[in-house]
Amino acid sequence: MAGRRPRGELRIIGGQWRSRRVRFAVEQVRPTPDRVRQTTFDWLAPRIRGARVVDLCAGSGAMGLEALSRGAAHAVFVDTGRAQIAAIRAALTDLGGIDRAELVHGDAAGWLARAGDACDIAFVDPPFDRALWSDILPRLAGRLAGVHRIYIEWPRTREPEFGVALDWHRRSHAAQVSYGLASLPPAPSGERP
């Protein structure tokens, strides 16, 4: 079919790497569709430049790569798949962005349990069949800056148990996915998350 991308390839939509194509490991990966990425980064436009982001369950790395292309200062890519992390590393090297990234081969909950710098934007798009939202989202509290955004993607057919109260800023859907931007409500005075 004319105009169709080869399997295992995605296109950066905006920013310094706009229209660049990168390869990703296709096994067990469902990249965020172009239309959803465009809408999400339109929503994030006032916050992305200089942001510290984390792409949890990174898969193709589409969200973190798009964030770096649009001016994020640093991105952490976390995924359990060795092939996925290797493909993201190759893409970052090819794009010239490896110095602004950290790649973590491991699970999102394990990375969140370690002490580390706070991030401004988190992308949470776990494999739909693994229902990890309620495991990941509550653990984000200790790793987010005071003013932050969390991108969450889930199947359009059913809203999962998120495991934590969320303040929704935007929500939408496209094709088979629902998605939105949220933040965690501030902890009550004197309490640490």
Side-chain angles (χ1 to χ4, degrees):
M1 191 182 307
R4 188 144 176 126
R5 278 195 301 274
R7 184 169 150 83
E9 184 177 275
L10 65 87
R11 178 180 60 89
I12 307 292
I13 295 173
Q16 75 179 84
W17 302 326
R18 183 182 181 156
S19 298
R20 296 278 304 268
R21 295 185 184 275
V22 297
R23 307 276 306 155
F24 64 89
V26 295
E27 191 173 315
Q28 298 180 0
V29 172
R30 176 191 36 76
T32 299
D34 289 6
R35 178 174 152 201
V36 172
R37 276 189 287 137
Q38 182 64 56
T39 300
T40 300
F41 282 94
D42 287 349
W43 293 344
L44 288 171
R47 301 177 178 276
I48 200 70
R49 185 154 303 282
R52 297 157 296 166
V53 306
V54 60
D55 192 348
L56 299 166
C57 306
S60 68
M63 298 304 274
L65 291 169
E66 194 75 45
L68 288 172
S69 180
R70 292 170 185 251
H74 189 263
V76 179
F77 297 85
V78 182
D79 201 277
T80 57
R82 287 187 194 282
Q84 285 77 8
I85 291 295
I88 295 167
R89 182 182 313 281
L92 286 162
T93 301
D94 184 50
L95 293 167
I98 195 75
D99 59 326
R100 294 174 26 218
E102 176 186 349
L103 293 114
V104 178
H105 175 243
D107 71 338
W111 182 82
L112 289 167
R114 297 195 315 260
D117 294 336
C119 60
D120 304 299
I121 300 169
F123 299 105
V124 180
D125 178 16
F128 288 176
D129 63 344
R130 302 249 333 263
L132 296 173
W133 298 273
S134 62
D135 192 34
I136 294 170
L137 290 167
R139 296 171 194 254
L140 269 171
R143 295 300 293 268
L144 293 169
V147 177
H148 63 271
R149 289 293 182 266
I150 308 166
Y151 167 84
I152 307 167
E153 189 174 315
W154 64 94
R156 187 172 178 180
T157 55
R158 65 176 165 77
E159 186 164 309
E161 174 57 47
F162 294 120
V164 67
L166 294 164
D167 289 338
W168 290 99
H169 302 281
R170 304 274 190 130
R171 290 173 69 137
S172 191
H173 59 268
Q176 301 301 311
V177 300
S178 291
Y179 60 101
L181 281 184
S183 57
L184 296 177
S189 182
E191 286 184 28
R192 292 258 337 175

